[in-house]
Amino acid sequence: MSDPLRLGIAGLGTVGAGVIKIVRQKAALLESRSGRSIRITAVSARNRDKDRGVSLKDYGWEDDPVTLATRDDVDVFVELMGGSDGPAKAAVEAALKAGKDVVTANKALLAHHGQALAELAESNGAVLRFEAAVAGGIPCIKALTEGLAGNEITRVLGVMNGTCNYILTRMEDAGLTYDEAFAEADGLGYLEADPNLDVGGIDAGHKLSLLASIAFGTQVNFEGVELEGIGNITIEDIRQASDMGYRIKLLGVSRMTGRGLEQSMAPCLVPASSPLGQLTGGTNMVVIDGDQVGQIVMRGAGAGEGPTASAVMGDVIDVARGLRMSTFGQRATDLVAATPARATTPAPYYIRTALVDKPGALAKVAAALGEAGVSINRMRQYDHVDDKAPVLVVTHKTTRAALDDALAAINGLAVVVAPPVALRIEQV
């Protein structure tokens, strides 16, 4: 019989406690599926005395996660502390230098240091796995690195921050303003300590950069992600997009083009009838387009104790089975440094503005669009409110450069009383 696989867990928050519960409660199942027993030998956290709802009495304790990472009785270092630098980075580096395998849920760490850590793992004969870092319980990393390895990936997109999806869903379903929905999410404990990580698109941008690296064989480049949060989305945008048959989502989109790697995390419109349009609450969805398989849609819980701990244990079991795989699906030294490209692939756009109550105002907007080479698909003018008329335009496919020219021209019109807002429409 194989020796037990011994885990050292650093970080005993919600996910860490969830991992301990699975190892304790599912021991026979884990052994039958991996071919060896899986045990926890030692743990580390900031506060030893905190009640986490699980007993730690059978495990060694280390105040310093770096010490935990290098213990002789730890085969796999499980990093669940979070943070792009500091103790998490130091401990993961120490484990890899010692030739120990690492399983992490830390998207920020990998988004900023993934290439260096992948190279460090390979040079020391270790593996670095991170299924839990992207979309919680959805096995999207495994899908890209294994199940879809025979495909050329043409596009990766998805909703990868449940908090933003919750806020946008509540705005539509309950008629809440952005500030009201934000406050509700905060009261439910959905927001990070720094809310901008969620609503500013940073958390989801980290995840997109990791998926793009695997999908397109490139070095992780979070700095190349165009980020735009949801803070400027109004209840009017929500309602008017719905009138046009769309829903607004904070959508990550990545594709390789002749200009370079496009990575965008920004509010987009999607057809209300599409899988992404039907996504509600805190659920995540990852969509992958492959040249052989077509479109794959994966939907599930993007956070929480059970789903994220499930993803951690999926990686642990793969290590127990002896699966040795490069961090991003191919050797780190073979990954190319992709040229960042602004997301300029032609697409239709939603434009919102407001005009003065004067004859010919709408015609001036249409003329500005036409002069910039932007073709109108649909246009709708709403009833006047306080002598202002809200106007919506859905364009045919156009480049971002042409759209920017049109927006600048519209903003300069004397009949325009609200700066135009434009949101990309992503076809799914």
Side-chain angles (χ1 to χ4, degrees), residues 120-354:
L120 184 61
E122 290 177 14
S123 66
N124 288 280
V127 296
L128 171 61
R129 300 184 65 91
F130 59 96
E131 185 69 70
V134 181
I138 302 175
C140 52
I141 304 299
K142 184 177 286 289
L144 278 170
T145 55
E146 298 179 40
L148 301 178
N151 284 254
E152 180 177 344
I153 304 302
T154 56
R155 182 179 64 163
V156 175
L157 71 158
V159 170
M160 291 173 255
N161 184 278
T163 300
C164 288
N165 202 53
Y166 175 86
I167 289 172
L168 294 171
T169 299
R170 289 292 291 159
M171 288 175 71
E172 180 172 9
D173 292 347
L176 303 179
T177 66
Y178 171 79
D179 288 340
E180 289 168 340
F182 178 96
E184 183 177 280
D186 192 25
L188 292 169
Y190 289 172
L191 289 163
E192 297 273 3
D194 176 4
N196 194 50
L197 291 173
D198 287 316
V199 298
I202 297 171
D203 168 82
H206 287 151
K207 299 169 186 177
L208 180 67
S209 70
L210 300 178
L211 291 179
S213 174
I214 301 170
F216 303 111
T218 60
Q219 296 178 10
V220 179
N221 183 14
F222 171 66
E223 288 72 20
V225 180
E226 294 180 62
L227 292 176
E228 180 184 345
I230 63 172
N232 291 327
I233 301 299
T234 67
I235 186 61
E236 288 76 24
D237 287 322
I238 297 285
R239 290 170 177 161
Q240 292 161 3
S242 179
D243 285 349
M244 292 282 200
Y246 296 103
R247 290 201 170 97
I248 299 176
K249 302 292 180 184
L250 179 67
L251 193 65
V253 183
S254 182
R255 53 169 66 86
M256 184 64 75
T257 72
R259 297 173 306 279
L261 179 63
E262 293 182 0
Q263 299 181 94
S264 172
M265 182 61 65
C268 292
L269 272 68
V270 297
S273 60
S274 69
L276 281 164
Q278 295 294 307
L279 192 69
T280 60
T283 310
N284 282 198
M285 181 174 286
V286 176
V287 180
I288 303 170
D289 292 339
D291 66 339
Q292 301 301 313
V293 76
Q295 188 168 93
I296 299 294
V297 179
M298 293 175 283
R299 174 185 181 277
E305 177 183 305
T308 311
S310 167
V312 170
M313 290 309 302
D315 282 344
V316 169
I317 289 174
D318 275 349
V319 173
R321 288 169 172 164
L323 180 62
R324 316 296 292 175
M325 182 178 293
S326 298
T327 306
F328 296 104
Q330 56 185 282
R331 288 180 301 183
T333 51
D334 291 342
L335 297 174
V336 299
T339 301
R342 191 177 183 200
T344 54
T345 299
Y349 283 84
Y350 156 100
I351 302 171
R352 171 192 33 103
T353 189

